Amino acid sequence: MFLRICSLNRLVALVCTIVVLLAAVGCKGSEEEPQAQLRPSFSVTRLSVRTGETISCRILNATEVSVVSVPDCVEVATDGLTLHVTGLVAGVGELLVSADGKRLRCPVEVIGVDTPVDDDPEAPGEIAARLEDASMRITAGEQALRYSVPGTIFSVDMRPADAFVLTPGCVIEAIDISTGREFSVIFSDGISRQSLPAEGASPVDIPQPQFFVNSTEVELSSAKVMKHAAAETAEHESQASAETLWIRLISTDNLPLWVVLSLPF
């Protein structure tokens, strides 16, 4: 009788063990089931682009994308799941696409880029006065660091080259040792002699340099050589002809910046 009870207990224990194992397997299987598929969506909540510029955005959680409708203010090209949106004219609208059969909408804004014709920060008389001043200096608005003022240190770091008046990578620095104020300009592309304006000619555009005030970069919107003047030297002088450059930069917040150099330095 005792043996029968032991056998019965073992059978019950075995059945319970099997039930527990089956339950564990069932739980594990439910944990490994794939999650519900995420809904396709734009990678941004709103598209904002300037006229003439192109920005890109992606459609997330999708395998196939097609454009359904495009507002008149933009042009849209697709590259797989990426949309390239180009601003055509200022305006607002809505971009509609189909992603894996689902319709997606995204607001679009095109910001117009206007070129003001009467927004020069300096009057013609002010510009003319600056061009009459050949003293070596760097200015930012009303602040000026002049080579002729005691306590001002100037340095021009460039390699000599006949084809360039300022060689690529040229660095110009001016430091006021009493205040610590520092202006520096880096001409990464240099200024070629071919690009200099002839005497009496209109200013010429040059590649934008980098302008720093106390190591903080000032964003620029334009860069021009306003004037170039070469001084004649005596025939017996072996030194290269002296020349002066008037370079005018305009910052994105409409601040006039001038770099006037007398070369060789």
Side-chain angles (χ1 to χ4, degrees), residues 145 151-155 173-183:
L145 296 183
T152 303
I153 301 175
F154 259 78
S155 69
E173 293 181 298
I175 303 172
D176 183 343
I177 59 176
S178 62
T179 64
R181 182 182 299 132
E182 177 182 353
F183 295 157

Side-chain angles (χ1 to χ4, degrees), residues 16-38:
C16 291
T17 301
I18 294 173
V19 170
V20 171
L21 290 175
L22 290 175
V25 171
C27 292
K28 183 177 181 182
S30 63
E31 290 178 356
E32 292 181 349
E33 288 180 359
Q35 295 180 351
Q37 185 177 5
L38 296 174

Side-chain angles (χ1 to χ4, degrees), residues 7 25 28 40 54 57 91 106 123 151 156 161 164 167 193 246 253 261:
S7 298
V25 171
K28 183 177 181 182
T54 300
C57 71
C106 185
V156 179
F164 289 88
T167 54
R193 291 196 173 276
W246 287 261
D253 57 358
L261 297 174

Side-chain angles (χ1 to χ4, degrees), residues 122-141:
E122 296 177 295
E126 293 177 298
I127 296 175
R130 292 186 186 273
L131 293 176
E132 289 299 318
D133 182 0
S135 62
M136 189 165 174
R137 64 193 184 276
I138 303 178
T139 67

Side-chain angles (χ1 to χ4, degrees), residues 4-264:
R4 288 180 181 178
I5 293 173
C6 291
S7 298
L8 181 59
N9 288 340
R10 289 177 180 175
L11 179 61
V12 171
L14 178 60
V15 171
C16 291
T17 301
I18 294 173
V19 170
V20 171
L21 290 175
L22 290 175
V25 171
C27 292
K28 183 177 181 182
S30 63
E31 290 178 356
E32 292 181 349
E33 288 180 359
Q35 295 180 351
Q37 185 177 5
L38 296 174
R39 178 180 174 80
S41 63
F42 279 87
S43 60
V44 296
T45 57
R46 184 181 184 85
L47 287 165
S48 181
V49 60
R50 291 185 175 273
T51 54
E53 294 182 345
T54 300
I55 62 173
S56 299
C57 71
R58 286 182 58 82
I59 303 299
L60 306 176
N61 310 315
T63 58
E64 185 176 346
V65 173
S66 61
V67 176
V68 177
S69 66
V70 177
D72 294 336
C73 57
V74 297
E75 183 179 71
V76 179
T78 59
D79 179 14
L81 301 179
T82 301
L83 305 179
H84 304 287
V85 182
T86 302
L88 299 179
V89 295
V92 295
E94 187 178 63
L95 175 62
L96 178 62
V97 303
S98 175
D100 291 351
K102 295 181 175 59
R103 297 293 179 93
L104 305 180
R105 302 175 185 272
C106 185
V108 177
E109 178 185 17
V110 178
I111 304 170
V113 179
D114 298 323
T115 305
V117 294
D118 296 321
D119 196 25
D120 197 300
E122 296 177 295
E126 293 177 298
I127 296 175
R130 292 186 186 273
L131 293 176
E132 289 299 318
D133 182 0
S135 62
M136 189 165 174
R137 64 193 184 276
I138 303 178
T139 67
E142 298 301 319
Q143 302 179 23
L145 296 183
R146 296 179 177 272
Y147 178 70
S148 59
V149 175
T152 303
I153 301 175
F154 259 78
S155 69
V156 179
D157 181 13
M158 68 173 179
R159 299 175 180 177
D162 292 337
F164 289 88
V165 63
L166 293 181
T167 54
C170 173
V171 180
I172 302 167
E173 293 181 298
I175 303 172
D176 183 343
I177 59 176
S178 62
T179 64
R181 182 182 299 132
E182 177 182 353
F183 295 157
S184 58
V185 194
I186 302 175
F187 291 87
S188 299
D189 297 313
I191 300 178
S192 67
R193 291 196 173 276
Q194 257 187 333
S195 67
L196 295 177
E199 185 175 353
S202 300
V204 297
D205 292 312
I206 58 172
Q208 291 185 13
Q210 291 177 280
F211 193 99
F212 298 87
V213 176
N214 294 341
S215 301
T216 299
E217 185 170 4
V218 178
E219 296 294 331
L220 302 178
S221 60
S222 71
K224 297 178 182 289
V225 174
M226 301 294 290
K227 181 180 176 182
H228 170 245
E232 295 182 359
T233 58
E235 292 182 2
H236 65 275
E237 293 182 0
S238 59
Q239 184 180 2
S241 297
E243 52 191 332
T244 304
L245 288 176
W246 287 261
I247 301 168
R248 184 177 185 243
L249 314 172
I250 302 295
S251 71
T252 53
D253 57 358
N254 222 25
L255 181 71
L257 313 165
W258 286 80
V259 182
V260 182
L261 297 174
S262 297
L263 301 171

